Amino acid sequence: MIAFSHYDIALLLQAMGRTVELSLGGGLLGIAGAIILTALRLSDLRYMFPLRMLAVLYVQTIRRIPFIVTLYIVFFCAGMMGVDVSATVVAIGSIGLIAAAYLCEILHGGVKTVPVEQVEAALVLNLPLWARWRYVIGPQAMSAVVPPAVGYLVLFIKDTALASQIGVVELSQAGVILSNRGLPSAQVFCVVLLLYFAISYPLTCLSRLLEKRIAVH
């Protein structure tokens, strides 16, 4: 059984916080981007057609590019443009770009599951746009959106390990550092595994809670 020094514990906790920061920041950016992209894709206004096509092209393209490639593109483009940002900001931005595309597909699919008759009934009742989304489309779409969206975000927590490729010290990189210092690799990465579990499990519990509440409503 290994005994971690104060430095080791501090490094692991700092790396855990960095992983949470990457996941939370990238996830929030992804959600915001997904809402905008979904709104563009669902718009039926004629003058919005070019933006709608751009949104579709973005989603279909980004979903087919590996995260590590997107990470390098954002990292090197920021350097070429002379933008002085930290590697953490670059990683959060890259996660947001990827998450927006995947979450947009989930949101778009969820909205499409709402029966057309429900939307037509809301139009017949002359409900304003916000009321249609608040009381008719949103509640029905969420039952199809929440499980895959949360499942994707949980999986993406593990992909934040790739941020170490541009110098971000997150959980997996902290495990490598401690292993290189001579600590037993198997035991170090067992601790890293438990810390990843501690981050992702509450999100899974939140997903189950939301699913139950949606089912009740």
Side-chain angles (χ1 to χ4, degrees), residues 144-163:
V145 167
V146 170
V150 176
Y152 167 76
L153 292 174
V154 170
L155 288 175
F156 214 79
I157 291 174
K158 297 179 293 184
D159 290 338
T160 58
L162 293 173

Side-chain angles (χ1 to χ4, degrees), residues 97-150:
L97 290 175
I98 294 285
Y102 280 93
L103 292 175
C104 172
E105 196 69 11
I106 294 172
L107 281 174
H108 185 263
V111 171
K112 289 297 183 181
T113 63
V114 179
V116 178
E117 295 81 4
Q118 298 282 337
V119 181
E120 291 176 348
L123 290 172
V124 170
L125 292 173
N126 201 28
L127 291 178
L129 180 62
W130 69 268
R132 293 200 300 269
W133 280 94
R134 171 65 179 83
Y135 298 109
V136 180
I137 301 174
Q140 297 183 75
M142 284 300 101
S143 61
V145 167
V146 170
V150 176

